[in-house]
Amino acid sequence: MVKDPGVLVDVSKCTGCRGCQIACKEWNQLPAEKTKFEGSYQNPKSLSGKTWTMVHFIEPDDGNTRWLFRKHQCLHCNNASCVKVCPTGAARKEENGIIRIDQSICTGCKYCVESCPFGGPNFNHQTGTAMKCKFCLDRLMNDMPPACTKACLSGALTYGNRDNLIIMARERKAVLEKKTSNPIRLYGENELKGTRWMYLLPEPASVYRLPEHPRLPIDKIALRWMAGIIPGVAIIWGIWKYFTGSEEKGKGGDSDGTC
C-alpha cells in the first residue's frame, strides 16, 4: 500500500469522458440517478449520496467558445471540517490520512454536509446517512489504485505518494507555464493544511468551481448547535421552574393551613 497516498489531477489532460464516474459507480455499487437536461452536458448536476465523483463541464463566459473539465469528489483534507464537527466520530481520519464516514455510527445530522467547503459529503435519503468518496480504501489495502484513476485513459489522474506527486506537479507546472502566460496553481498543496486530491489549474480556482481560499465554515455549525442548545436549555429551565414553583406553592398551602 502506498504510504501517504494522494492523487494529482492535471485538468489540462482531462477530456471529460467521465470514465472515472462510471468506475466509481461500478466499484462501489452505487445506483444510477434520474437526471434531466438543464442546458449543459454536465451530468449529474452535482454530487449526492449516490454519486461520489463527477466531472464538471465548464463553459467560461469570456467571449470564447471552450470547455474546461474538472473531476470533483471529496478532497480528503488534512484539516478536515467533517471530522471536526462530527458529533459521533463517524467521520474520521485513517492513519494514512484518508477521511471516511463510518456508516454504522453516522446519525445523519448533516453537520459534515454543511461544513465542507467543497461539498464532498452528501446526505443519502435511503440510508439516512452522509456518504462520500472513500478513496477506494478497500482497493488501497489490497495494493490497487483507486478505481477512478485506474479507469482514466488520458493520464489526467495520477495516483501515488503525495510528496512524489507534488514533485511531479512542479515539473509539469514548469512545462505548462511555457505554453501559457497564465500562472499555474497547484491547488491542494497547502490549502486546509494540504489535501489528498490536488489539482494543477491553469486558471483561477473559481473558474473551475473551487473556492479560491477554502476555509472551515465552523461558524455555520456553531450557529446550528446554538439554535438547538438555546431552546433545549429554555425548555429545561421552564420545566424546572414549573416543578419548583409547584413545590413552593404546596409548601405555602401547608403552612397556611396550620396557622
Side-chain angles (χ1 to χ4, degrees):
M1 179 175 167
V2 173
K3 184 179 179 180
D4 195 23
V7 174
L8 175 63
V9 183
D10 187 345
V11 298
S12 69
K13 294 182 179 181
C14 182
T15 62
C17 72
R18 291 182 284 215
C20 54
Q21 287 186 201
I22 297 171
C24 179
K25 287 276 190 181
E26 288 185 347
W27 181 259
N28 294 292
Q29 298 183 345
L30 299 172
E33 295 185 90
K34 188 175 182 179
T35 60
K36 62 180 180 179
F37 182 69
E38 297 185 13
S40 170
Y41 285 108
Q42 178 176 309
N43 187 36
K45 185 178 181 179
S46 61
L47 297 178
S48 73
K50 300 176 183 177
T51 298
W52 299 349
T53 191
M54 57 167 289
V55 177
H56 278 289
F57 279 50
I58 304 159
E59 300 177 67
D61 187 15
D62 56 6
N64 299 314
T65 302
R66 60 195 182 106
W67 272 353
L68 304 177
F69 306 112
R70 181 183 67 83
K71 181 185 182 299
H72 184 52
Q73 71 296 304
C74 165
L75 270 65
H76 296 269
C77 313
N78 284 329
N79 187 20
S81 62
C82 57
V83 174
K84 291 181 179 295
V85 303
C86 182
T88 66
R92 66 185 65 172
K93 180 187 289 188
E94 300 295 331
E95 291 184 2
N96 58 7
I98 291 173
I99 309 297
R100 74 180 184 92
I101 299 177
D102 187 340
Q103 296 295 297
S104 66
I105 57 176
C106 177
T107 61
C109 68
K110 303 181 186 177
Y111 285 171
C112 60
V113 176
E114 294 190 12
S115 69
C116 179
F118 305 110
N122 286 273
F123 187 69
N124 187 318
H125 293 276
Q126 288 187 335
T127 63
T129 58
M131 291 187 166
K132 68 175 193 67
C133 162
K134 299 184 294 185
F135 214 115
C136 284
L137 186 59
D138 51 346
R139 291 176 60 91
L140 268 57
M141 296 296 289
N142 287 281
D143 293 320
M144 294 189 293
C148 57
T149 64
K150 181 72 173 179
C152 183
L153 298 177
S154 66
L157 306 180
T158 303
Y159 165 70
N161 173 268
R162 187 174 184 276
D163 290 338
N164 292 338
L165 291 176
I166 290 175
I167 295 173
M168 182 187 302
R170 289 172 180 168
E171 294 174 352
R172 177 63 177 165
K173 176 181 176 182
V175 172
L176 292 174
E177 286 181 338
K178 292 179 180 179
K179 300 179 180 180
T180 177
S181 58
N182 297 332
I184 308 298
R185 177 178 178 180
L186 177 53
Y187 190 96
E189 180 180 7
N190 300 308
E191 285 75 10
L192 297 180
K193 296 183 179 180
T195 60
R196 297 282 146 190
W197 282 79
M198 299 176 290
Y199 296 88
L200 270 177
L201 304 178
E203 298 188 47
S206 57
V207 174
Y208 285 91
R209 298 174 184 168
L210 285 167
E212 290 287 350
H213 306 288
R215 64 182 183 87
L216 302 183
I218 304 299
D219 52 341
K220 291 172 59 179
I221 303 302
L223 289 174
R224 275 200 61 179
W225 281 346
M226 292 302 294
I229 291 173
I230 292 175
V233 171
I235 291 171
I236 293 172
W237 182 82
I239 294 173
W240 179 79
K241 287 293 289 183
Y242 174 80
F243 283 107
T244 55
S246 297
E247 290 177 2
E248 290 177 359
K249 287 181 180 180
K251 291 178 181 178
D254 292 340
S255 60
D256 290 341
T258 57
C259 287

